Amino acid sequence: MRNHLRAAGRVLRVEAADPCEFDFARAVVGQSEAAVAERRAAGLRLRHIEGAVRCLAAVDAEGVLRGQAFVLRDRHTAILMHQWFDRTGPRGTPTLLVDSAVVQTLESPGVNSFDFEGSVIPGIDRFMAGFGAQAVGYGQFRWQQDGREEPAGRFG
């Protein structure tokens, strides 16, 4: 992981970006345009709350956007909700983005945990474990066909 951080850190800078500029279409793959639009609306719904939504962008020396991370935050926890990276870009881009999101978020007053938001894909689980992540069960929202929600989330 350190090699990936060094490689990406030599050619990319990570900077704060407007959450409205996050490219949900690149981060939410294999779903309909309507589903992507719903995720975008849900993610941005909290942007009026100070510090609740953060977008980080990995940019190369020519100003080309090579990846982004979208982080939601409550009082004590930050959640890596979405991330994407240009697979033709520099090696280590996703590692640099996640590392930057963790470091910047845990420097925020009151935040004491970073939730990688889980995965059912073994390769992603291994990647997250490289940051010291531990699997922990947590509540979920479940949307019913009749439109009802079963609340179980942090931001309710």
Side-chain angles (χ1 to χ4, degrees), residues 63-135:
V64 176
L65 183 62
R66 296 299 187 165
Q68 293 177 304
F70 190 85
V71 180
L72 293 179
R73 189 193 135 191
D74 68 6
R75 283 184 222 120
H76 305 291
T77 304
I79 303 168
L80 180 65
M81 290 301 297
H82 297 290
Q83 179 186 8
W84 68 267
F85 67 97
D86 179 354
R87 294 186 184 280
T88 65
R91 180 176 65 111
T93 302
T95 305
L96 182 65
L97 276 166
V98 172
D99 185 70
S100 297
V102 170
V103 168
Q104 290 182 25
T105 303
L106 292 178
E107 289 174 347
S108 302
V111 176
N112 58 19
S113 100
F114 191 91
D115 185 341
F116 289 88
E117 215 263 324
S119 171
V120 294
I121 302 169
I124 292 175
D125 285 343
R126 282 189 299 279
F127 174 73
M128 300 302 189
F131 293 92
Q134 298 173 352

Side-chain angles (χ1 to χ4, degrees), residues 24-61:
F24 283 88
R26 291 185 78 174
V28 181
V29 295
Q31 295 189 15
S32 69
E33 286 183 35
V36 172
E38 287 175 22
R39 287 194 181 229
R40 181 179 194 284
L44 295 177
R45 197 169 289 134
L46 298 171
R47 75 180 185 276
H48 69 281
I49 300 170
E50 178 83 26
V53 179
R54 172 176 278 185
C55 177
L56 297 176
V59 181
D60 68 17

Side-chain angles (χ1 to χ4, degrees), residues 38 140-152:
E38 287 175 22
Q140 302 174 10
F141 277 106
R142 295 177 190 251
W143 282 268
Q144 304 299 316
Q145 285 188 359
D146 63 5
R148 291 180 302 119
E149 295 178 9
E150 294 178 1

